[in-house]
Amino acid sequence: MDDTKPDRKTKQVTTLPLHQLHNSSRPNLLKIALHRGANASTIIGPIPVRTRESKPEDAQDGLPVKTEPPAPSVIAQPVYKQFHLGMFEIGRALGKGKFGRVYLARERASGFICALKTLYKDEIQQGRMEKQVLREVEIQSNLRHPNILKLYNHFHDSKRIFFILEFAGQGELFKHLQREVRFSEWKAAQYIAQMVSALRYLHGKHVIHRDIKPENILVGIYGEIKLSDFGWSVHTPSNRRLTQCGTLDYLPPEMVDPTRLNKSYDEKVDLWSLGVLMYELLVGEAPFEDIPLMTQRRIAKADMTIPGFVSPEATDLIRKLLVVDPNKRMPLEQIQQHPWIIKHCSTGERAANREKSRSS
Ligand code: AMP
């Protein structure tokens, strides 16, 4: 169990570890967590969870449609398939978040390996985070993309809410970055290209993530990234939002500049954060890292220095993303065509071989 969280992501420790409530006599079984052979159908397949937006015409597949009035919060929200904790074998703790821990788990019936995230209802209520949790469930459970962490389902008991999540075998991207200090341009480009793909999908569904940073990106068993933590994300029916949220280092000028706070912002906030992420992956620290007041001032002016070891192509792309005017940031489709991405990603195998021979 990793109890040493990096400062940047200070999180609350909970006092009721899930495994103490569980009677499995084989807690180490899941140390060998193999996806191969697991049958996911029990979790992923025919689980008819209808959201309260469901309409009768949605019932073409024969699934029941919920007709109750809207539930006040996720805590009170009913689900159709009655999952409960006893259906899972609980393995090692994978990490801890603000309102609970995340455990490796296996659904007993199918052998399906997943991550079970526990959230304590009273802590959610005390932290007035009900809306955020509800948003996470509503948004993340409707997303299907290889670079977005899947939320298969959720259930609750009297004290806790459980999220049944896709298991990201290689953990947090932030930990990889801390270990390697900074990534090679090839590796960073693979990650940025995958982020662009995930963001194109999200923005296509009118969802803004709003909290992109290495702590919110997990790494799958094949080294692929899995964007997670949709607590701050929003649907953008009007394409405009006014709320301020997120983490200072990654916030765009339109969200930190006090003179612009009454102005609205849109999905282009994610383009800025993508630029900050790219910088951090290549340099090892965020571009505006400073005392909070200075960070805020520097963000408002896009005041940063890109070290000389960053290639001209990467420097060019960072500068085209970290632009104060949101409308002048390079759009996602153009990032995919940028020479830095083409150089490292489009040549696929050739680039991978070049990278391998360099590191051997
Ligand atoms: P969170 O509460 O979502 O911030 O999760 C806390 C920590 O648990 C993360 O920082 C990860 O290290 C770990 N974790 C969360 N979800 C998963 C997952 N699906 N697969 C593997 N590790 C996870």
Side-chain angles (χ1 to χ4, degrees):
M1 167 64 202
D2 181 2
D3 274 341
T4 52
K5 271 297 196 194
D7 286 342
R8 225 165 57 162
K9 201 184 184 185
T10 311
K11 292 197 165 177
Q12 213 170 318
V13 187
T14 51
T15 50
L16 275 174
L18 183 56
H19 63 268
Q20 283 179 9
L21 297 157
H22 187 264
N23 59 8
S24 170
S25 56
R26 296 157 70 199
N28 291 327
L29 197 64
L30 295 176
K31 279 189 178 155
I32 312 158
L34 295 176
H35 276 272
R36 202 177 302 144
N39 172 8
S41 63
T42 322
I43 289 182
I44 306 168
I47 300 170
V49 180
R50 292 270 185 220
T51 64
R52 57 176 179 264
E53 288 82 27
S54 298
K55 298 179 204 81
E57 57 269 30
D58 293 338
Q60 287 156 350
D61 52 6
L63 299 177
V65 173
K66 202 168 74 183
T67 51
E68 294 97 324
S73 76
V74 69
I75 291 164
Q77 218 181 16
V79 286
Y80 276 90
K81 162 102 185 191
Q82 289 307 310
F83 277 107
H84 57 85
L85 199 52
M87 294 163 89
F88 296 88
E89 275 182 78
I90 307 299
R92 67 181 168 91
L94 296 169
K96 61 179 186 243
K98 217 180 282 171
F99 300 110
R101 290 181 189 244
V102 183
Y103 295 85
L104 185 59
R106 177 160 62 188
E107 197 201 21
R108 291 176 193 279
S110 63
F112 185 70
I113 297 293
C114 58
L116 209 56
K117 180 167 166 175
T118 60
L119 302 157
Y120 285 86
K121 292 179 180 181
D122 55 355
E123 290 179 14
I124 292 169
Q125 275 164 338
Q126 277 158 25
R128 293 168 182 252
M129 301 297 275
E130 285 168 277
K131 228 173 158 182
Q132 204 175 319
V133 173
L134 183 59
R135 201 184 275 151
E136 194 168 351
V137 172
E138 281 180 346
I139 292 182
Q140 204 173 346
S141 56
N142 285 308
L143 302 174
R144 290 282 177 273
H145 185 277
N147 299 118
I148 295 176
L149 193 80
K150 287 176 191 65
L151 171 59
Y152 297 125
N153 220 312
H154 66 282
F155 58 95
H156 57 98
D157 63 16
S158 59
K159 290 202 173 92
R160 294 158 298 180
I161 300 168
F162 300 90
F163 285 1
I164 307 170
L165 290 164
E166 176 180 12
F167 170 54
Q170 293 193 34
E172 267 181 50
L173 183 62
F174 191 43
K175 298 242 168 83
H176 291 256
L177 185 61
Q178 280 189 314
R179 210 166 29 241
E180 295 181 38
V181 182
R182 58 179 195 248
F183 295 142
S184 69
E185 296 232 349
W186 179 83
K187 198 170 190 175
Q190 309 308 309
Y191 289 145
I192 294 299
Q194 291 170 43
M195 279 297 300
V196 170
S197 172
L199 287 176
R200 279 193 78 171
Y201 171 82
L202 277 185
H203 292 178
K205 285 182 158 280
H206 306 290
V207 172
I208 320 176
H209 188 279
R210 299 202 298 182
D211 201 16
I212 292 166
K213 53 184 174 177
E215 296 92 321
N216 288 343
I217 299 170
L218 296 170
V219 183
I221 45 172
Y222 304 112
E224 77 284 19
I225 59 162
K226 304 276 180 190
L227 183 58
S228 76
D229 245 313
F230 283 77
W232 285 119
S233 61
V234 277
H235 273 297
T236 54
S238 64
N239 275 350
R240 291 281 175 185
R241 306 298 306 179
L242 287 161
T243 349
Q244 193 182 357
C245 60
T247 309
L248 197 56
D249 272 328
Y250 273 72
L251 287 184
E254 59 269 36
M255 287 167 77
V256 299
D257 184 348
T259 62
R260 301 168 53 141
L261 281 186
N262 57 350
K263 302 231 173 79
S264 54
Y265 58 86
D266 56 21
E267 80 288 344
K268 292 180 203 79
V269 297
D270 286 342
L271 296 176
W272 175 277
S273 308
L274 186 70
V276 178
L277 177 74
M278 181 175 164
Y279 184 108
E280 184 161 7
L281 298 186
L282 289 170
V283 178
E285 59 185 44
F288 310 106
E289 254 181 64
D290 214 316
I291 55 166
L293 183 67
M294 286 308 292
T295 296
Q296 200 169 330
R297 283 188 189 158
R298 289 179 55 198
I299 289 172
K301 291 187 281 183
D303 170 17
M304 57 159 177
T305 313
I306 303 176
F309 59 77
V310 177
S311 72
E313 295 98 330
T315 301
D316 180 73
L317 181 50
I318 292 170
R319 290 202 187 285
K320 286 180 171 147
L321 290 170
L322 296 180
V323 178
V324 175
D325 182 351
N327 295 317
K328 293 194 175 141
R329 288 172 203 152
M330 182 174 264
L332 293 168
E333 313 78 65
Q334 285 181 29
I335 302 172
Q336 286 177 317
Q337 301 305 319
H338 188 277
W340 186 68
I341 296 289
I342 300 280
K343 178 179 169 185
H344 294 291
C345 303
S346 294
T347 43
E349 225 169 286
R350 227 168 355 120
N353 289 339
R354 198 166 50 231
E355 175 70 11
K356 262 187 226 148
S357 62
R358 228 181 257 147
S359 52
S360 59

